Amino acid sequence: MPRASSGHPSQRPRPQAGAVLGLWPPRPPQKAALALAGLTCLCLLNRESLGVYRAGLCWLSLWVFQQVFQLDHLPRRSLYAALAYRLMSVCLGFFVSATALNFYILFELALLPTLFIVLLFGYQPEKLRAGQYILLYTGLASLPLLLSLLILSPYLAWLAVPGVSYLGVTLTLGFRVKTPLYLVHIWLPKAHVEAPVAARIVLAGVLLKLGSFGLLVFCPLLLHPVLSLYLAVSLLGAIACRRICARQWDAKRLIAFSSVVHIGVVTVGVVVGSELGYLCAFIMIVAHGVCSPLLFGVAYRFYLRRHSRLLASNRGQLASPVATLMVFLLLAVNIGVPPFLNL
């Protein structure tokens, strides 16, 4: 029986730049979905003052899920695809919700599909510990948010104690953990390492933006000393995570800790409270939502070739000059090299 020869390495077909980054053109159903999203964004722009933020985050969510379905090749009738569709619908509903109760319910519902994807389709046995961290950190930290929203309602206003200004902490704690804030970020590296590629892309591109959007909604209404504490912790945490990134050899953990650094910059813009600060925070949110999923896509392509996440084991993987240029530009956008509007 003749044995198939692999051929010389120079004769093997080189992967295209789109294969490395997962940037394939959208299929016809996805084009229709993107067109519908564009019309929805135009409607949101004219509805209220937060319409710009809502429209941008809705567009970002649809783009991220488009990359997920094309990169991971999810079967249409599988449980994996069903959970991804449910997660997409919950995230879109969260960004366009108009009432406080719907805001909280959708904020919590986004946790369930993510938790099921990590537990059912994770790669290592440590996925159980990662799921436990996700449930404990994000679930328990958002319970004070529910209590605060109920107290602010007229039918439970009698629960509010006069002279006690704890609402500044309870209204923002759940969003700070989901963002995440340094010191409560332990769940994020665990989730990124143990989750499948689709969950990593959605987690970096959309789910972290739920907490950032909550801060954009509630922080303009608050004047509380805890905001200064958030500012100090975010700056010190960004410096600490930068040092962790400098000595990190795991590609996925490196991208996860760099996300904590970027979100620290978002916190600075939100806590400042000026119009320019909110605009810069929103630009940073969108830039991080575009860069981090693509970086996880590149890391996933490298892992498929060498079956290793170590940076030293993945040298020389970009055979195409076009792919090398695209990865270089992606890293330039991620670190905020001018003229890119990131940092």
Side-chain angles (χ1 to χ4, degrees), residues 116-338:
F116 288 149
I117 290 176
V118 172
L119 293 179
L120 298 178
F121 303 99
Y123 297 134
Q124 304 293 335
E126 287 80 4
K127 63 184 180 182
L128 300 177
R129 180 63 60 86
Q132 181 182 4
Y133 281 178
I134 293 174
L135 185 60
L136 290 179
Y137 275 86
T138 62
L140 293 180
S142 59
L143 291 179
L145 174 62
L146 176 61
L147 180 61
S148 302
L149 294 178
L150 293 178
I151 288 177
L152 292 176
S153 302
Y155 54 88
L156 287 181
W158 57 275
L159 289 176
V161 180
V164 179
S165 57
Y166 57 84
L167 289 179
V169 179
T170 56
L171 282 175
T172 57
L173 181 61
F175 299 125
R176 294 307 310 155
V177 174
K178 184 65 79 67
T179 304
L181 181 69
Y182 184 72
L183 300 180
V184 288
H185 70 287
I186 307 300
W187 64 274
L188 185 63
K190 287 282 187 181
H192 276 309
V193 170
E194 304 302 331
V197 58
R200 291 198 301 268
I201 293 176
V202 174
L203 185 63
V206 180
L207 293 183
L208 299 186
K209 310 305 175 288
L210 301 182
S212 301
F213 181 70
L215 293 178
L216 288 174
V217 172
F218 284 99
C219 281
L221 308 176
L222 299 176
L223 290 175
H224 198 276
V226 74
L227 299 180
S228 301
L229 177 62
Y230 288 158
L231 178 61
V233 172
S234 298
L235 291 177
L236 295 178
I239 297 174
C241 290
R242 180 185 61 84
R243 296 178 63 88
I244 295 175
C245 292
R247 56 188 298 270
Q248 190 63 244
W249 290 97
D250 192 328
K252 290 195 289 188
R253 292 180 65 88
L254 174 62
I255 302 173
F257 279 106
S258 67
S259 299
V260 180
V261 179
H262 288 162
I263 297 303
V265 182
V266 174
T267 303
V268 173
V270 173
V271 170
V272 167
S274 62
E275 184 178 356
L276 181 60
Y278 293 130
L279 179 60
C280 293
F282 175 71
I283 293 175
M284 186 69 188
I285 289 170
V286 176
H288 178 264
V290 173
C291 293
S292 289
L294 295 180
L295 287 175
F296 277 113
V298 172
Y300 175 66
R301 294 294 182 181
F302 289 167
Y303 178 79
L304 290 180
R305 296 183 182 183
R306 294 291 180 88
H307 299 284
S308 175
R309 300 196 307 263
L310 297 179
L311 298 178
S313 301
N314 289 283
R315 296 177 178 176
Q317 291 294 308
L318 297 177
S320 172
V322 178
T324 304
L325 177 62
M326 295 181 69
V327 173
F328 172 76
L329 292 177
L330 180 61
L331 294 175
V333 173
N334 193 45
I335 64 178
V337 174

Side-chain angles (χ1 to χ4, degrees), residues 11-47:
Q11 299 176 356
R12 297 175 184 172
R14 294 183 176 181
Q16 301 177 4
V20 176
L21 295 178
L23 294 174
W24 295 112
R27 299 171 183 174
Q30 295 168 346
K31 290 182 180 179
L34 292 177
L36 181 60
L39 295 177
T40 305
C41 292
L42 290 178
C43 296
L44 291 174
L45 287 174
N46 299 324
R47 195 174 74 172

